[in-house]
Amino acid sequence: AKMENHTRVSEFILVGFKSQPGSQLLLSVLFSTIYIVTLVGNICMILIIRMDSNLHTPMYFFLENLSTLDICYSSVIAPRAALAFLVGRRNISYSGCASQMFFFSLFGTTEAFFLAVMAYDRFTAICNPLLYQVIMSRRLCVLMVMGSYLSGCINCTIQTGFTFSLSFCGRREINHFFCDVAAVIHASCSNTRVNELVMLAVCGSIIVGTALVVFISYGYIIITIVQMPSAESRHKAYSTCSSHMVTICLFFGTVFFMYAQPGAASSPHKSNTISVFYTVVIPMLNPFIYTLRNREVKASLKKQLKR
């Protein structure tokens, strides 16, 4: 009977944000605009870093990787959602839903690890400036990026595997605008207790673990900045870090609300709006937050434009 249940559902219907018909066009325009800005911003970021040899440092190596990740992350969700709002075609195939969940979990988890790696990089640069070049070697930087993706891979395999081993009988509607883990679990007709516990344990430990690295790093950074003798170096260090803190609080705040608290799978209506932040808004904001507050990138941009 279990196999029968599996074959019965060949597709799902994503019903997130379905309430007002007039707002569908607005949502489509909004998602499309955000997606285009995300692509342009992140591609520019990658090109600026590639073209300027002064920016070939660990910090910009991570930023370039973050931009690449944000393009992929946003591409898994925004274009499809924009199209669904526009033409009203909200069905997604069983395998399409599984692959969307797989890649969304992969890039989302990797983003959390990236933010932790970048916080550690800033911590080393500001708190151990003399040893910075030694500690943040090219090899370590590459290993950290690979490790982040590997962790993403492990998590998305666990989440997608566990979720799609459930049975889906009559209820094909998913109360979300993409195949989010919690929303798909909610649509199952199996007992989902184990799945909710796995999601809470795995996602919770990843989010809390990476957030701890971030906040401890920034704690030390703030203490170091406060103790700096000259006002100029204080200002320079502070301007780099304050903008990072904005992204970090946005990302971890929303993600924590979604995955790292008990009962996360049972309040889908609230989660629709919140997940817009970490799925489409933050990938768009990252290049602006990391460039507009950054003298080196601005200088590089001016230099490239003069050419």
Side-chain angles (χ1 to χ4, degrees), residues 242-261:
S242 58
S243 50
H244 294 201
M245 283 305 279
V246 176
T247 336
I248 285 157
C249 292
L250 258 180
F251 181 82
F252 283 109
T254 49
V255 168
F256 187 83
F257 182 88
M258 288 290 299
Y259 301 103
Q261 53 160 344

Side-chain angles (χ1 to χ4, degrees), residues 91-117:
N91 34 345
I92 183 169
S93 67
Y94 186 85
S95 56
C97 188
S99 59
Q100 190 182 43
M101 182 186 292
F102 181 88
F103 287 110
F104 160 73
S105 301
L106 168 64
F107 299 132
T109 309
T110 307
E111 175 113 2
F113 279 96
F114 266 17
L115 292 175
V117 164

Side-chain angles (χ1 to χ4, degrees), residues 101-140:
M101 182 186 292
F102 181 88
F103 287 110
F104 160 73
S105 301
L106 168 64
F107 299 132
T109 309
T110 307
E111 175 113 2
F113 279 96
F114 266 17
L115 292 175
V117 164
M118 289 166 73
Y120 175 73
D121 170 67
R122 292 297 80 212
F123 161 75
T124 314
I126 292 170
C127 302
N128 289 324
L130 300 175
L131 289 173
Y132 180 64
Q133 297 296 337
V134 182
I135 297 172
M136 298 304 283
S137 63
R138 180 79 188 170
R139 185 164 167 266
L140 182 68

Side-chain angles (χ1 to χ4, degrees), residues 1-23:
K2 197 161 184 204
M3 206 50 229
E4 217 171 74
N5 284 343
H6 271 279
T7 48
R8 218 177 288 169
V9 170
S10 57
E11 61 174 20
F12 297 104
I13 300 159
L14 297 165
V15 293
F17 297 128
K18 209 175 181 176
S19 44
Q20 309 83 5
S23 63

Side-chain angles (χ1 to χ4, degrees), residues 175-176 183 186 264-273:
N175 192 347
H176 217 308
H186 203 62
S266 54
S267 55
H269 46 279
K270 270 188 302 193
S271 62
N272 276 340
T273 320

Side-chain angles (χ1 to χ4, degrees), residues 26 28 31 48 60 96-97 123 134 148 193 239-240 278 295:
L26 186 69
S28 182
F31 271 67
I48 291 168
Y60 293 103
C97 188
F123 161 75
V134 182
S148 299
R193 192 90 197 110
S239 71
T240 314
Y278 63 87
R295 288 180 200 170

